[in-house]
Amino acid sequence: MAEFKKVEVDRQKIKTAIKAGIPLSLTTYTIPHEMEIYMDDILRVFLEELNQMQMCEQLTYCLNELMTNAKKANTKRVYFKTKNLEITEKSDYEIGMKTFKKEMLEELEYYLGLQKKAGLYVRVSLQYRDRKIKIEVRNNSEITIFEDKRVRDRLSRAKECSSIEDAFSQVLDDSEGAGLGLVILILMLQKIGFTGENFQAICENGETIMRIILPLSENEQAQMNFISEEFANAIDELPQFPENITAINRLLNDPDSRISDIAMRISNDVALTAELLKTVNSAAFALPFQCRSVYDAVKFVGIHGIRNLLFSIGAIQSFGKFDDERFNIWEHSYQVAFYSFNIARNYFATKKNIIEDSYICGLLHDMGKIVFESSHPEFIARIKKNCETKNIPDQIFERLLAGVSHAEIGALIAEKWNFPDVIAKSIRFHHTPDLAETEAKDLSAVVCLADLMAHYHAGEISFLQIDNSILDSFKFTNEMMFKKISDKLYSAFKES
């Protein structure tokens, strides 16, 4: 990856990442001053969008401290190499550390150049997920036993400090300044109401990871829950699910029903028949022939598949005409549905239910966003007024209005309309498949990957923002593989 060049902070990308629960990620080799400023700006906007500016000063210090430590750890590796010292050997480590700080500062640009040439990076990410803020700094230099012991010692000593003065008197050490910095970092966390338990230092897959995880305050959690419940009540004000489709669904659930009876009932609705045949004949289903009758559609797709298609058609009908914003949401949803179906066919070829449910789950994954678009202005005003009586800040209200809780709201809609449980769960967990229960985990992961691929192809997220657990689940080991599949699916979708 090319070295960082100063660019303006893209607030919209930060909003997108917050809504999708994906990390904002940036990789560098030398952390020039311009990047430090840029990361500070990103953190500030990130916290502004989350209404957490009271933590900005302290977390800015923490982020800069962790970036500096990561860069220093990489520099230490190349320094030891130039001195023919083995950093994992205790005697060599002690020899090298006697001169490291002085010589590194005297020839900093030289050593930074070496670590860039060696591919030693620092990767920074900010993430808001499951109502927690995560700040993470990674570098691809495994921490040594001696360094790890030092970190643990400093974190232990931090518990004994109640002020910066205590830190200086107890921890100041000329050999490695990072010791004092970590203690101050813990003091900064304490200042905003957290403890050392919110800081983690681990080594994983050849990377050293320094991580801060901060849950929102109980008060803010309660405020967000209140607004979510208010929006959930909007479900009762939405149009009912189309009665004609509900009646057909009852027929589908009757074990004594014949395919001819079901086909006849669907055929009695001209508009529904046209929409069903259009969907069945789309490229997503890749039929070997043109399906011209409802009877053939039911026979080929099956009862389960027809039920899902009717659910999707009914959901679209329930929300009425599309304005520009809703048109964009549905266009994205059709793309994710197409991707989901094809991903399921390739990765879960032996799991029929996942394949059959993948299209509708992809199509309806953002259904919660439509609630915010469909709610009458009077309803929005009423919720806002209720928030004012509870002294809930406008920023929290605006954040949920922008769709941060759309997965939960979408799942509630699916439950109201009596959709199968697995569909409701896949909607609820399409950003967090690891939190889904067993029966919905694979389907949620399929929709999550499809959604990420659509956003990736649109340039709205980068490869580094995609959670490693999703990439591992689908055997993606590098961006080239991911891009190839993404491009192939996009081309097929555009041709459909």
Side-chain angles (χ1 to χ4, degrees):
M1 181 173 179
E3 187 54 273
F4 173 82
K5 293 183 180 179
K6 182 174 174 56
V7 294
E8 294 299 319
V9 173
D10 189 331
R11 186 178 290 268
Q12 187 54 50
K13 284 195 174 183
I14 292 176
K15 288 181 177 180
T16 298
I18 289 173
K19 285 193 284 186
I22 57 177
L24 296 155
S25 184
L26 194 148
T27 302
T28 183
Y29 295 96
T30 60
I31 317 184
H33 180 61
E34 292 82 0
M35 184 195 169
E36 292 180 358
I37 296 173
Y38 180 61
M39 283 307 306
D40 289 349
D41 288 343
I42 289 178
L43 178 61
R44 174 182 52 77
V45 174
F46 179 74
L47 294 175
E48 281 178 0
E49 290 297 324
L50 293 172
N51 191 37
Q52 300 294 318
M53 283 301 289
Q54 78 279 3
M55 299 192 291
C56 189
E57 181 181 350
Q58 291 80 12
L59 292 185
T60 297
Y61 171 84
C62 294
L63 178 59
N64 288 327
E65 175 65 21
L66 294 180
M67 288 194 301
T68 298
N69 287 351
K71 179 173 73 171
K72 188 181 295 182
N74 289 346
T75 307
K76 195 187 299 182
R77 268 66 187 167
V78 295
Y79 175 80
F80 272 63
K81 189 173 182 179
T82 61
K83 301 296 182 182
N84 293 318
L85 296 171
E86 180 54 62
I87 198 168
T88 57
E89 294 292 332
K90 186 175 182 180
S91 57
D92 281 3
Y93 188 82
E94 291 173 350
I95 293 170
M97 291 312 302
K98 289 179 181 178
T99 54
F100 168 67
K101 185 175 181 180
K102 179 176 182 296
E103 293 190 15
M104 182 267 292
L105 291 175
E106 289 174 350
E107 300 183 76
L108 180 59
E109 291 303 318
Y110 169 70
Y111 288 113
L112 290 179
L114 289 180
Q115 70 188 53
K116 180 179 179 180
K117 187 176 181 181
L120 298 179
Y121 59 75
V122 176
R123 184 165 295 153
V124 184
S125 71
L126 309 175
Q127 186 176 19
Y128 175 71
R129 184 175 183 266
D130 195 26
R131 298 190 178 181
K132 294 183 180 70
I133 292 171
K134 181 168 75 173
I135 298 175
E136 191 173 83
V137 177
R138 296 170 175 252
N139 63 291
N140 54 339
S141 295
E142 278 195 63
I143 193 169
T144 65
I145 294 173
F146 324 114
E147 292 168 320
D148 184 64
K149 182 177 181 300
R150 184 182 183 82
V151 168
R152 305 299 164 194
D153 175 66
R154 292 305 183 246
L155 293 178
S156 177
R157 290 199 188 187
K159 296 178 182 178
E160 304 170 11
C161 300
S162 58
S163 67
I164 301 295
E165 290 75 17
D166 285 347
F168 271 98
S169 63
Q170 291 191 37
V171 186
L172 193 59
D173 184 337
D174 286 334
S175 66
E176 295 185 66
L180 177 63
L182 282 177
V183 174
I184 296 176
L185 182 149
I186 299 302
L187 291 174
M188 289 292 185
L189 292 180
Q190 292 173 356
K191 193 172 182 180
I192 54 177
F194 299 99
T195 69
E197 299 300 317
N198 297 94
F199 175 75
Q200 300 173 355
I202 60 175
C203 192
E204 187 178 88
N205 298 323
E207 290 184 316
T208 298
I209 306 168
M210 301 292 175
R211 182 183 293 148
I212 298 171
I213 299 178
L214 308 176
L216 298 186
S217 68
E218 291 184 7
N219 180 54
E220 186 155 356
Q221 294 274 12
Q223 291 174 337
M224 293 184 71
N225 288 338
F226 172 79
I227 303 174
S228 295
E229 289 167 6
E230 290 286 301
F231 271 113
N233 292 334
I235 296 171
D236 294 330
E237 300 183 15
L238 290 173
Q240 293 298 310
F241 201 70
E243 177 54 35
N244 61 331
I245 295 180
T246 300
I248 295 170
N249 189 47
R250 286 196 291 268
L251 196 60
L252 289 168
N253 289 329
D254 184 349
D256 296 326
S257 293
R258 297 175 299 178
I259 290 180
S260 58
D261 296 331
I262 296 167
M264 180 65 72
R265 186 61 185 266
I266 295 173
S267 298
N268 288 337
D269 188 320
V270 177
L272 181 58
T273 297
E275 191 63 36
L276 178 61
L277 292 178
K278 176 184 173 183
T279 304
V280 170
N281 285 310
S282 70
F285 287 87
L287 297 184
F289 55 87
Q290 187 76 8
C291 185
R292 299 185 182 278
S293 74
V294 173
Y295 180 84
D296 288 340
V298 176
K299 191 166 68 171
F300 186 85
V301 178
I303 299 297
H304 188 93
I306 289 295
R307 180 189 293 114
N308 283 350
L309 288 175
L310 292 177
F311 280 149
S312 64
I313 293 168
I316 294 170
Q317 290 180 354
S318 295
F319 291 114
K321 295 180 179 180
F322 297 171
D323 54 22
D324 289 344
E325 184 63 29
R326 275 188 285 173
F327 177 83
N328 290 335
I329 294 174
W330 280 117
E331 181 67 17
H332 169 73
S333 296
Y334 279 119
Q335 183 179 357
V336 172
F338 181 90
Y339 284 19
S340 296
F341 184 74
N342 283 280
I343 290 169
R345 285 197 305 178
N346 282 278
Y347 285 93
F348 296 96
T350 62
K351 296 187 178 181
K352 185 179 178 182
N353 285 349
I354 292 179
I355 297 172
E356 290 179 334
D357 291 333
S358 60
Y359 188 87
I360 184 174
C361 291
L363 184 67
L364 301 182
H365 78 287
D366 273 348
M367 190 162 60
K369 289 184 179 179
I370 304 295
V371 173
F372 299 107
E373 295 299 325
S374 301
S375 297
H376 297 296
E378 296 83 4
F379 173 76
I380 299 295
R382 189 171 75 243
I383 293 182
K384 191 165 187 178
K385 186 175 181 180
N386 290 344
C387 290
E388 289 171 356
T389 63
K390 296 278 187 179
N391 295 317
I392 295 175
D394 285 346
Q395 295 95 325
I396 296 179
F397 173 77
E398 295 296 335
R399 193 192 321 161
L400 270 77
L401 187 62
V404 171
S405 296
H406 71 274
E408 182 67 24
I409 298 298
L412 290 171
I413 298 169
E415 289 167 0
K416 179 198 175 184
W417 284 341
N418 295 315
F419 283 13
D421 189 50
V422 71
I423 295 177
K425 286 180 178 177
S426 73
I427 294 172
R428 178 175 278 116
F429 298 112
H430 74 269
H431 287 313
T432 54
D434 54 310
L435 301 181
E437 296 174 11
T438 304
E439 67 271 21
K441 190 179 289 289
D442 288 339
L443 193 54
S444 299
V446 166
V447 177
C448 179
L449 176 63
D451 187 41
L452 290 170
M453 280 190 165
H455 286 301
Y456 172 83
H457 196 277
E460 295 167 347
I461 64 171
S462 70
F463 180 73
L464 291 176
Q465 290 178 269
I466 301 171
D467 193 279
N468 284 334
S469 63
I470 287 292
L471 296 174
D472 292 344
S473 295
F474 293 93
K475 305 294 189 293
F476 288 109
T477 58
N478 57 62
E479 184 171 7
M480 186 179 298
M481 289 175 61
F482 186 87
K483 186 177 185 304
K484 183 178 179 181
I485 299 298
S486 174
D487 289 347
K488 187 174 181 179
L489 285 172
Y490 181 77
S491 297
F493 173 70
K494 281 302 179 183
E495 292 172 3
S496 65

